[in-house]
Amino acid sequence: EGGRSLQTIMDKTSSEDIGNPPFKDLRLTVLEGITELMSDLENTRIPITRQAPLHIHANEVILTCGHSGTLVEFLKAAIRKNKNNSFE
């Protein structure tokens, strides 16, 4: 099955084929990939916040669009370095 896309494989199968061993392996591979991606996303906040003091400096105005937990942590990390600054 190497070199073929998931969509190509799924298009050429019937619902009764899904219980066969190749599809059990495919399901396991997809679940492992999703688990790895979720782990990567959960662990991105730490490296991002470590860089905050390098990107935000005193007397700068920071405009953001939207709200996210990562953004809040990034700004808080910058404030910890420059205790005289705040954000609203």
Side-chain angles (χ1 to χ4, degrees):
E1 311 272 341
R4 291 176 23 176
S5 72
L6 177 60
Q7 184 65 42
T8 303
I9 293 168
M10 296 307 287
D11 285 345
K12 292 185 178 185
T13 61
S14 67
S15 60
E16 59 202 38
D17 291 334
I18 292 178
N20 292 337
F23 285 95
K24 288 181 182 180
D25 294 341
L26 177 63
R27 183 176 185 272
L28 180 62
T29 301
V30 170
L31 289 174
E32 287 173 353
I34 290 170
T35 302
E36 182 179 343
L37 179 60
M38 288 174 60
S39 175
D40 288 349
L41 291 174
E42 289 171 1
N43 295 323
T44 58
R45 192 173 285 184
I46 294 168
I48 289 172
T49 57
R50 285 184 185 151
Q51 293 183 18
L54 302 172
H55 297 285
I56 297 179
H57 309 285
N59 300 320
E60 287 185 333
V61 175
I62 309 297
L63 301 175
T64 64
C65 180
H67 175 81
S68 74
T70 303
L71 173 63
V72 171
E73 292 301 318
F74 179 84
L75 295 172
K76 285 181 179 179
I79 288 172
R80 283 192 286 273
K81 180 183 179 233
N82 300 313
K83 301 221 184 245
N84 297 330
N85 295 330
S86 66
F87 69 93
E88 296 178 23

